Amino acid sequence: MFPGFWSRFKRNKMAVAGSMVVISLFLLSALAPVIAPYDPEQIDLTNVLAPPSSSHWLGTDQLGRDVLSRMIWGGRISLQVGFVSTGVALIIGVILGSLAGYYGGWVDAVIMRFVDIMLCFPTFFLILAVIAFLEPSIWNIMVVIGLTGWMGITRLVRADFISLRERDFVLAAKAIGASNLRIVFSHILPNAMASILVAATLGVAGAILTESALSFLGIGVQPPTPSWGNILTAGKDNIDVAWWLSLFPGLAILITVLGYNLLGEGIRDALDPRIES
Amino acid sequence: MAGYLIKRIVFMIPILLGITVICFAVMHLAPGSPTDLQTQMNPRASAELKERLKAMYDLDKPIHVQYWLWLKRIVVLDFGRSFSPDRRPVVEKIKERLPITIALNLLSLLAILAVAIPLGVMAAVHRGSIFDNITSVFVFVGFAMPTFWLALLLMIFFGIYLGWLPISGIRSLNYEYLPPLAALWDLIKHLILPVFLSAFGGLAGFSRFMRANMLEVIRQDYIMTARAKGLTEKRVIYRHALRNALLPVITILGLSVPGLIGGSVVFETIFAIPGMGQLFYMAVMARDYPTVMGILFMGAVLTLIGNLLADIAYAWADPRIRVR
C-alpha cells in the first residue's frame, strides 16, 4: 500500500526502538499470568514495604504485595485503557470528521463548532466532572477518556477528506454513480488511513498517560486492581520510606509512552518522507 | 481594530452557549438526578425535603425549562450553594481560590517562554548540532513524562533527601512572623517545584514549535535579503528572523491555557496548594455537584478568555490579521 514504507521505517533507529518497546509490552501483558512471580493481589502483612531484594526484585508495597507482579498486571490495564479509549475516540472522530469533510456546508459548520466548544474544556476538568457523576470504574475511565479525546482526530480526518474529495478518482467514482457511502468507505477513507493510524498510535500514548494520572489521583482504576498510577499513589503515601514504590511504576509509564510516541512518529516519517518532524 | 474586536466577541457567544449546553448535559449524566444522590446519602431526608430540593433545582419541570432557568442563573455566576458542610455559595469559594491558580499558571507560562524560546531558536540556528540533538531527546522525553511522577521524584530528592524545598502548601506555618524579605523567600521556595513542574509539561511542545517556526522563517526571502545586504548573522537572527518566528507563539500561548488549567488539578493536589484545581479535586471526591459544575464552567470560560486575549494580541502584533 505504501511503497518503501518498511525500508524507511527500518532505517529509523528510534522508530525501531519504539516498536520493540510496544511489542515487549504486548508480550508482557499477554504472558502476565505466567511471568509474574507472585499473585498481584496476594497480601503479606509480615513483609510490608520491603525494599528490593532477590525474592522481591522491585520490593513490596504497604500491604506486602509484590511490586513487580503488580506492575506486570498493571501493564495489562494500561494497554487495555490505551486501546479501548483510543478506539472510542477513533469511532467518534472518524465519523464526525468524514461527515464534516465530505459534506461541507452547514454539516461541517455545526460539527466544527462542536469541536471548538469541546476544546474549550480543560480535558482533565471534563473527565473529572463526568467521573464525579458516574462511578470511577475502569470501563467508565476508558469511555470517558475516549469521549474527551476525539477532537484532534476529527480535525485531521476532516482535513484529509477535504483534500481528497476533489481528487480525480473520487470524481470518477461519482461519475459512474457510486453511492456516497461507497465513495467514503472504499475510496476516501483508505487514503486517509495513514494519518489516522499515526494519530491512533499517539492517542494510545496520551490515553495511558491520562489514565495513570487519574489513577494516581484515586479517581481512575480502583485498588486492589493494580495500575501503574495507583501504585504511585502508594508511593506518595510512603514517600519518605519507600522510594521504590515511586520510582519503578513511573519509569514504566515513561518508557511505554515514549515507545508509542516514537512508533507513531516513526510511522509518520516512513509514510511521508517529505514531512520533517 | 475595534471592528475586529467586536467580531471576535460576537463569535464567542455561540461557543459560550455551547459550553453551557455541555455543562448541563454533564450534570444530567448522573444516574437518577443530582438531588436523588444528595438525599440518598442522607437517611434523614424526608419526602418533603426531597420535594423542596427538587423544586430548587427545577427538576419537576420539563428539561428545556430546566436548562433555561439554569442558564439564567449561570449568566450571573450563581452556581448555587456548595454541598459541603460549610454550605457557602460556590462562586465565593471559587473567587477566593482563582487568583492563586491564575498566578501560578502565569508564572509557569513565563517560565515556559523564558526557557523554550532560546532553546528552540538555538536548536534551529545550530540545526543538526549536538545541542540540537540533545534538545530533541529532551523534547521526546518531555512529551512522554508523567509530570505527576516527576513531581514525586523531585519531592523525594529536594524535599526529603536534600531537605532544601518544602513539599506542601504555599507558605510556612510561621509565615506571619517573618520579616518581609524572608516571607517573600519563603513563598518563592514553596513555588519553585509546582511552577517548574507545571511549566515542564508545556516546555517540550513549545520548544519544538519554536524550532520549527524558526526553521521556517530562516528559509524566507527576506532573511536572504538581510544576509545579502551584509548584516551580521546575529542581527539577521535576532532582529529579522526571531521577530517573525515569535508571532505564532501568541496563538500557542492561547491554546495552552486549557492544558495549564487542567494540570493545576494535579499539581495543586500533589503540593496541597489552595487553588481552584485543589477545590475541584476535593469537590469531585466529595461529590459536591454545584462546586464541580461551577468550576467546570469557569475552566471553559477561562480558556475562552485566554483564546480571545491571544487573538487580540496577535491582531495587535500583526496588522495583516486585522485587515482580513
Side-chain angles (χ1 to χ4, degrees):
Chain A
M1 195 160 144
F2 304 104
F5 175 82
W6 276 115
S7 65
R8 275 199 299 273
F9 188 82
K10 273 186 290 187
R11 251 182 290 142
N12 184 344
K13 282 192 204 110
M14 299 304 263
V16 173
S19 42
M20 298 289 240
V21 169
V22 171
I23 293 169
S24 333
L25 284 165
F26 265 102
L27 287 178
L28 272 178
S29 303
L31 300 176
V34 187
I35 296 177
Y38 295 87
D39 176 347
E41 293 179 21
Q42 185 195 325
I43 293 172
D44 178 4
L45 292 177
T46 60
N47 196 21
V48 297
L49 296 175
S53 65
S54 56
S55 56
H56 295 279
W57 289 2
L58 303 185
T60 64
D61 69 0
Q62 75 283 14
L63 296 174
R65 296 172 295 195
D66 181 53
V67 173
L68 178 62
S69 305
R70 288 184 73 71
M71 278 179 54
I72 294 173
W73 282 87
R76 266 194 167 189
I77 301 286
S78 292
L79 210 64
Q80 205 181 340
V81 172
F83 276 81
V84 174
S85 48
T86 306
V88 172
L90 269 184
I91 292 171
I92 304 174
V94 169
I95 292 177
L96 290 184
S98 312
L99 286 174
Y102 187 72
Y103 288 108
W106 68 267
V107 177
D108 182 35
V110 169
I111 291 175
M112 294 329 280
R113 281 304 80 68
F114 185 35
V115 168
D116 288 344
I117 292 164
M118 288 294 289
L119 284 174
C120 278
F121 288 95
T123 319
F124 225 76
F125 272 31
L126 204 52
I127 294 175
L128 259 89
V130 174
I131 294 299
F133 285 94
L134 306 173
E135 283 301 312
S137 77
I138 178 164
W139 283 100
N140 282 341
I141 294 293
M142 293 192 285
V143 172
V144 172
I145 295 177
L147 285 179
T148 52
W150 50 269
M151 291 81 81
I153 299 173
T154 304
R155 284 189 162 171
L156 201 84
V157 172
R158 172 182 176 266
D160 273 1
F161 265 65
I162 287 175
S163 77
L164 288 166
R165 73 174 179 208
E166 304 297 334
R167 296 276 186 85
D168 287 343
F169 66 90
V170 175
L171 297 179
K174 261 185 196 155
I176 60 171
S179 66
N180 282 332
L181 224 57
R182 193 180 161 80
I183 293 175
V184 167
F185 280 102
S186 52
H187 297 284
I188 303 187
L189 210 49
N191 285 290
M193 234 37 211
S195 48
I196 295 175
L197 183 66
V198 174
T201 314
L202 300 176
V204 171
I208 290 176
L209 215 46
T210 306
E211 179 273 321
S212 64
L214 287 172
S215 298
F216 173 70
L217 290 178
I219 26 203
V221 177
Q222 300 295 307
T225 307
S227 100
W228 294 338
N230 69 30
I231 303 174
L232 282 171
T233 315
K236 183 181 189 290
D237 295 341
N238 300 291
I239 190 167
D240 43 359
V241 283
W243 54 268
W244 55 93
L245 278 179
S246 292
L247 182 65
F248 299 119
L251 213 52
I253 301 169
L254 176 65
I255 292 170
T256 305
V257 175
L258 199 59
Y260 277 99
N261 280 345
L262 288 175
L263 178 64
E265 302 264 339
I267 296 173
R268 168 159 49 207
D269 293 347
L271 283 173
D272 190 350
R274 282 166 307 171
I275 298 173
E276 206 242 355
S277 52
Chain B
M1 188 73 188
Y4 175 80
L5 207 71
I6 291 168
K7 211 167 81 184
R8 294 304 316 168
I9 292 174
V10 170
F11 272 136
M12 268 174 58
I13 294 170
I15 303 281
L16 200 57
L17 271 178
I19 289 172
T20 63
V21 171
I22 305 256
C23 285
F24 188 73
V26 167
M27 193 163 62
H28 282 260
L29 264 182
S33 60
T35 54
D36 263 1
L37 285 162
Q38 197 190 9
T39 47
Q40 266 165 20
M41 278 183 281
N42 181 358
R44 285 180 305 170
S46 63
E48 190 212 334
L49 178 67
K50 278 186 193 172
E51 277 310 305
R52 257 173 45 205
L53 278 169
K54 221 173 167 182
M56 191 173 112
Y57 290 95
D58 305 306
L59 291 172
D60 49 348
K61 303 199 171 69
I63 194 132
H64 60 276
V65 178
Q66 278 184 42
Y67 172 70
W68 177 243
L69 292 170
W70 180 77
L71 188 64
K72 278 204 295 199
R73 291 209 307 268
I74 288 297
V75 285
V76 291
L77 297 183
D78 173 11
F79 302 115
R81 282 175 185 274
S82 163
F83 280 2
S84 66
D86 60 16
R87 311 284 297 164
R88 291 173 56 210
V90 169
V91 68
E92 266 181 35
K93 294 180 94 166
I94 294 179
K95 239 190 237 161
E96 66 190 23
R97 282 162 171 267
L98 192 58
I100 297 176
T101 301
I102 291 183
L104 272 180
N105 282 327
L106 283 180
L107 281 176
S108 43
L109 265 182
L110 281 179
I112 290 174
L113 290 178
V115 179
I117 291 176
L119 215 63
V121 170
M122 293 298 278
V125 171
H126 304 283
R127 188 184 179 184
S129 66
I130 298 174
F131 180 79
D132 186 22
N133 288 334
I134 293 175
T135 315
S136 48
V137 169
F138 161 76
V139 165
F140 260 103
V141 174
F143 269 133
M145 181 67 80
T147 31
F148 62 92
W149 174 62
L150 188 62
L152 275 188
L153 294 187
L154 295 182
M155 279 164 100
I156 293 177
F157 188 70
F158 288 106
I160 292 165
Y161 181 71
L162 293 176
W164 289 356
L165 295 171
I167 56 173
S168 102
I170 52 170
R171 50 187 60 161
S172 302
L173 288 174
N174 60 352
Y175 182 81
E176 286 163 41
Y177 307 107
L178 291 173
L181 265 180
L184 182 69
W185 176 234
D186 181 63
L187 186 68
I188 292 173
K189 273 205 314 199
H190 278 85
L191 291 183
I192 288 177
L193 283 182
V195 169
F196 170 78
L197 284 157
S198 134
F200 188 88
L203 212 53
F206 237 97
S207 44
R208 192 182 200 188
F209 180 77
M210 198 58 217
R211 175 180 180 272
N213 270 346
M214 200 64 189
L215 284 177
E216 182 66 34
V217 168
I218 287 175
R219 263 197 302 225
Q220 302 294 319
D221 288 343
Y222 55 81
I223 295 300
M224 201 190 287
T225 312
R227 287 209 174 106
K229 68 180 186 185
L231 293 183
T232 58
E233 189 62 21
K234 244 192 189 144
R235 217 177 150 76
V236 172
I237 296 295
Y238 292 104
R239 278 203 73 102
H240 294 249
L242 183 59
R243 287 171 74 169
N244 283 289
L246 277 178
L247 276 178
V249 169
I250 299 173
T251 311
I252 298 295
L253 271 181
L255 291 179
S256 63
V257 172
L260 281 171
I261 297 178
S264 64
V265 175
V266 180
F267 299 116
E268 289 178 7
T269 307
I270 296 179
F271 289 102
I273 293 169
M276 196 174 74
Q278 193 201 31
L279 178 66
F280 190 54
Y281 176 74
M282 294 190 307
V284 167
M285 294 308 266
R287 310 201 150 215
D288 177 359
Y289 298 127
T291 310
V292 171
M293 294 317 300
I295 298 179
L296 179 65
F297 180 74
M298 287 306 293
V301 169
L302 282 179
T303 307
L304 205 58
I305 294 173
N307 289 342
L308 179 73
L309 289 180
D311 278 346
I312 294 172
Y314 207 127
W316 171 74
D318 186 351
R320 286 170 296 184
I321 300 291
R322 268 174 272 162
V323 181
R324 233 189 279 154

